[in-house]
Amino acid sequence: MTTKRRGMTEEAADAAIDQACRMLRMPTIRNSFTDYADRAGREQMSYRGFLAELLLAECDDRARRRSERRTKAAKFPREKSLRAFDFDANPNIDPAVIHTLAKCEWVQKGQPLCLIGDSGTGKSHLLIALGTEAAMAGYRVKYTLATQLANELVEAADEMTLAKTIARYGRVDLLCIDELGYMQLDRRGAELLFQVLTEREEKASVAIASNESFGGWTKTFTDPRLCAAIVDRLTFGGTILETGTDSYRLAQATRQRTT
């Protein structure tokens, strides 16, 4: 039975609101209720309008905090955004394509993405920025280096926890693998990486950044058949973006030294 409370003073009402918000776990309303109440009085808002403003503020703040948690959980090594990407510095990259990818429909469909190009052409920036967009959109994202992932899988196999580790990577919506092709992987590490990619095939997205064209991946995956199978997993039904060979980071550094 609901108890009716009449004649409550403003101080008592504020205390009751604070207590109720704590119990209901509504920190945004608890922290900003007074400001919203004052504005509602000045603008002569209806009760319904005032309540809607409060609840929408709580929902917006929860969405923001949820995005921050997912971005933090992705373990990106640094912050990178599409807003900070200099499209003018690299004409190989079509802004329209990148902004379409930022809508994350490819993540929803479980499609792969490959960013191929030399060092300094923006691959890792785009990989992290697009991964961040996916995290902010509510998807579970994980970032890792190719060698780091391979080493983790080998250690898991040695410790008899491989199935658990592969399943953990299988649960994320988007797996971002950076620096694929920088270092050669031994056969065991390459085979275990292939297992992760197979687990995710046509179910969950993988995005990779590599400084080697697909033809050069035999340096990383020394078994030609395994290499071909991995390329197939990472390209079927996906998007391939070539970021070029001219390092704009190097060009920028050169300009700074000469000015």
Side-chain angles (χ1 to χ4, degrees):
M1 182 177 178
T2 302
T3 302
K4 293 184 178 180
R5 298 177 176 84
R6 299 181 183 276
M8 187 179 291
T9 65
E10 287 195 2
E11 290 79 5
D14 287 345
I17 291 168
D18 185 87
Q19 182 181 11
C21 286
R22 290 178 186 274
M23 293 176 62
L24 296 172
R25 297 181 181 178
M26 293 181 171
T28 304
I29 292 179
R30 180 170 61 85
N31 293 330
S32 57
F33 173 83
T34 302
D35 293 337
Y36 276 90
D38 291 343
R39 183 162 65 87
R42 290 193 304 269
E43 299 178 3
Q44 297 183 329
M45 295 175 63
S46 67
Y47 292 129
R48 286 186 175 86
F50 173 48
L51 179 60
E53 288 281 343
L54 280 178
L55 295 177
L56 287 174
E58 184 70 44
C59 290
D60 289 344
D61 202 43
R62 287 191 182 191
R64 179 188 59 78
R65 295 196 303 271
R66 191 161 50 243
S67 295
E68 289 176 350
R69 287 195 299 269
R70 291 196 182 279
T71 302
K72 185 177 180 179
K75 302 292 186 181
F76 296 117
R78 51 199 174 275
E79 291 186 11
K80 294 291 182 181
S81 68
L82 294 181
R83 188 169 51 254
F85 189 82
D86 188 356
F87 289 99
D88 292 333
N90 191 340
N92 296 295
I93 300 173
D94 185 349
V97 173
I98 299 301
H99 291 310
T100 297
L101 290 170
K103 297 177 182 178
C104 299
E105 291 181 6
W106 60 286
V107 180
Q108 181 182 8
K109 296 176 181 178
Q111 297 172 338
L113 169 65
C114 296
L115 298 161
I116 310 293
D118 282 3
S119 297
T121 58
K123 307 181 306 299
S124 293
H125 186 138
L126 290 174
L127 181 70
I128 295 172
L130 289 171
T132 300
E133 291 290 331
M136 292 175 64
Y139 294 101
R140 293 166 295 181
V141 182
K142 175 65 176 176
Y143 171 96
T144 183
L145 300 177
T147 52
Q148 178 183 327
L149 176 55
N151 291 337
E152 182 181 352
L153 293 170
V154 170
E155 290 177 6
D158 291 340
E159 296 171 1
M160 307 294 288
T161 59
L162 181 61
K164 183 178 179 180
T165 302
I166 291 178
R168 174 162 50 84
Y169 278 103
R171 284 193 293 270
V172 300
D173 301 304
L174 172 60
L175 176 59
C176 299
I177 305 177
D178 205 353
E179 296 188 2
L180 186 63
Y182 279 82
M183 297 180 64
Q184 178 178 320
L185 302 178
D186 62 30
R187 183 181 179 87
R188 190 179 182 208
E191 289 175 346
L192 293 174
L193 177 58
F194 176 70
Q195 286 189 42
V196 171
L197 298 179
T198 299
E199 175 74 16
R200 301 180 61 80
E201 186 181 14
E202 297 188 45
K203 294 187 295 184
S205 292
V206 175
I208 66 100
S210 176
N211 68 329
E212 283 281 357
S213 63
F214 296 122
W217 280 20
T218 50
K219 301 173 186 176
T220 301
F221 307 103
T222 54
D223 183 330
R225 294 182 63 184
L226 179 61
C227 180
I230 289 175
V231 171
D232 180 69
R233 295 290 189 280
L234 291 174
T235 56
F236 180 73
T239 301
I240 302 171
L241 296 180
E242 296 184 0
T243 58
T245 58
D246 297 327
S247 171
Y248 68 78
R249 280 208 306 257
L250 177 60
Q252 185 180 47
T254 301
R255 286 195 301 271
Q256 289 175 348
R257 286 197 298 268
T258 57
T259 56

